[in-house]
Amino acid sequence: MRRHPTEKSPQVDKEAEQNPTEVATRTCDECGERLRDNEAQGEVVCEGCGLVISDSAIDHGPDWRAFSKQEEEKKKRVGAPVTKMKHDKGLSTNISWKDEDAYGKSLSEKQRKKMNRLREWNKRFRSQDAQDRNLKRALTEINRMASALGLNEQVKETTSILYRRCQEKNMIQGRAIESMAAACLYAASRQCRTPRTLNQIYTVSRLYDDSPQNPKMSNRINRAYRFISNQLGLELKPVDPRNYLNRYMNELSHSVDSQQEVTNTAKQILTAGENENVHSGKAPSCLAASAIYASSIICDQKMTQSRIAEATNTSKMTIRTQYKTLLSAYKSD
DNA sequence: ATGGTTTTTACTGCGTC
DNA sequence: GACGCGGTAAAAACCAT
């Protein structure tokens, strides 16, 4: 049987076991792993899947309100926007490798040792800077993609946690920031139950390239996703097709009388299909699309197959083949 | 690499408006 | 004739081995 990409044998999170000092009283609803209270960042994070349960209550917005455009201009007291594109050119410290002072005299034994220590620390700080820059670039990327896909703050937050964990484990080096960021976003969108397909993420990523000779760059995101899923031990279950319904129905809201009714029926259809084991091996997005079609017939608010296929980025043919099995599962229920 | 499964694409025929 | 729908065949994509 074909298995879903994310379905895999359970594996224990060794790190969590070796660290008995982090006693957590709560467990994650999503994966059952214990939660870690990360006070420094003011957030509660799941050890198992990296899901952010609650983040800091700090409001990063302005501390004033403006009721008109002019007022906003007047009250805005920040300078130039903080650019994440800064690099350290000319700003970082350089320590000469020569053991000489400014006059060219060689240093005493004591001074030499001191300079060696300083060089060592300087090197460390600099690599910290490099990581920081990397992170900043990734975060702008993540922000941009998430906004383009209409994903909320929770997803962005979860994505950045995942990305930081990748950095901590030195997984970024040697890999494109773009693909790692996109893969983290993909994982986070699934964890937060507002999944986007790999393809959707691909189309808004910087890797996107629709030139015909180079059609399959999305594989790189997929590979990166598998990599982080393995390394971080994310045990993501296959996406529940019901999670797609709201977004798809939103897309189709103009073609239907009662969005709510169709959505609810589609939900029931999918539940019935789940019980009859129709889901196994099928793409969740296609199942959702097919359920919507089936539901639109039942609710007497029929939409055309092509309309749904277009709105859900699937094919008519797939909807045709799947809606029948779903429908029979629903009826026998 | 290969094989089994699903998804997509292209094309065709049928019934209805 | 245009449209929606159902179907077939074959190619493409995908995952597991």
Side-chain angles (χ1 to χ4, degrees):
Chain A
M1 188 195 77
R2 182 182 163 196
R3 299 176 87 189
H4 192 275
T6 53
E7 218 179 283
K8 58 183 187 110
S9 53
Q11 91 189 47
V12 235
D13 193 341
K14 293 207 182 79
E15 234 173 286
E17 277 180 353
Q18 285 165 358
N19 218 338
T21 51
E22 288 178 342
V23 187
T25 46
R26 295 196 290 152
T27 53
C28 178
D29 317 326
E30 197 65 44
C31 65
E33 278 292 336
R34 74 178 73 164
L35 297 177
R36 180 181 56 194
D37 208 339
N38 192 346
E39 271 184 42
Q41 280 151 28
E43 65 212 0
V44 181
V45 185
C46 170
E47 297 261 84
C49 61
L51 182 66
V52 181
I53 307 298
S54 66
D55 52 24
S56 68
I58 300 170
D59 181 0
H60 296 284
D63 57 354
W64 41 265
R65 287 205 295 168
F67 299 98
S68 67
K69 203 81 191 150
Q70 293 98 316
E71 205 175 348
E72 191 189 331
E73 283 306 312
K74 216 160 66 184
K75 288 190 174 175
K76 211 162 37 178
R77 56 177 183 273
V78 287
V82 182
T83 170
K84 321 253 177 176
M85 305 299 278
K86 268 192 244 164
H87 60 104
D88 74 346
K89 203 173 191 177
L91 291 177
S92 69
T93 314
N94 273 314
I95 300 179
S96 165
W97 52 272
K98 287 186 209 158
D99 283 329
E100 297 175 336
D101 65 13
Y103 302 103
K105 284 196 243 165
S106 60
L107 301 172
S108 69
E109 178 69 12
K110 204 173 160 190
Q111 290 281 10
R112 252 205 307 274
K113 279 200 173 145
K114 189 175 169 189
M115 291 314 288
N116 276 334
R117 277 203 306 280
L118 283 173
R119 277 193 204 101
E120 192 52 41
W121 276 106
N122 193 33
K123 205 158 66 185
R124 279 177 205 163
F125 279 122
R126 240 196 314 218
S127 68
Q128 189 99 33
D129 280 354
Q131 276 215 338
D132 217 46
R133 278 201 303 277
N134 181 312
L135 182 63
K136 275 185 183 162
R137 236 182 90 190
L139 290 181
T140 39
E141 238 346 74
I142 288 164
N143 227 351
R144 191 183 60 75
M145 292 189 290
S147 301
L149 292 170
L151 291 163
N152 61 17
E153 290 305 313
Q154 196 203 352
V155 179
K156 292 182 193 173
E157 208 54 42
T158 309
T159 312
S160 65
I161 302 293
L162 285 176
Y163 195 86
R164 282 201 186 95
R165 286 180 62 196
C166 290
Q167 266 196 334
E168 279 165 27
K169 292 200 165 196
N170 266 331
M171 290 156 55
I172 310 290
Q173 228 172 27
R175 272 166 256 271
I177 295 177
E178 284 79 13
S179 56
M180 289 301 275
C184 288
L185 183 65
Y186 175 60
S189 79
R190 290 177 54 170
Q191 278 178 357
C192 298
R193 290 176 227 204
T194 46
R196 297 293 179 269
T197 61
L198 256 180
N199 233 356
Q200 284 177 301
I201 300 215
Y202 169 62
T203 48
V204 299
S205 78
R206 292 238 177 273
L207 297 165
Y208 184 61
D209 178 4
D210 60 353
S211 62
Q213 73 268 23
N214 206 1
K216 267 293 137 199
M217 295 288 275
S218 64
N219 280 332
R220 292 179 55 176
I221 302 179
N222 197 6
R223 213 171 307 147
Y225 165 69
R226 287 171 175 288
F227 179 64
I228 66 173
S229 170
N230 270 329
Q231 295 292 307
L232 301 182
L234 313 179
E235 286 176 34
L236 289 178
K237 297 183 200 77
V239 173
D240 186 334
R242 279 165 291 203
N243 290 340
Y244 285 112
L245 289 178
N246 283 331
R247 182 170 172 79
Y248 286 168
M249 283 309 296
N250 233 24
E251 206 79 24
L252 291 163
S253 54
H254 297 302
S255 319
V256 104
D257 291 335
S258 166
Q259 198 175 332
Q260 200 56 45
E261 192 192 350
V262 179
T263 310
N264 285 337
T265 313
K267 209 172 275 179
Q268 287 166 21
I269 293 172
L270 285 171
T271 310
E274 198 174 24
N275 295 334
E276 302 266 322
N277 225 356
V278 178
H279 286 23
S280 162
K282 308 274 198 320
S285 56
C286 293
L287 283 166
S290 312
I292 289 175
Y293 179 67
S295 166
S296 80
I297 294 173
I298 291 176
C299 298
D300 209 21
Q301 303 180 41
K302 196 164 170 179
M303 292 177 273
T304 66
Q305 295 173 349
S306 18
R307 174 90 187 83
I308 297 177
E310 183 197 23
T312 59
N313 239 322
T314 55
S315 80
K316 286 182 280 189
M317 194 57 223
T318 312
I319 293 178
R320 270 209 285 275
T321 48
Q322 287 185 357
Y323 93 87
K324 275 177 276 178
T325 44
L326 280 173
L327 215 48
S328 64
Y330 177 69
K331 288 198 173 131
S332 70
D333 210 38

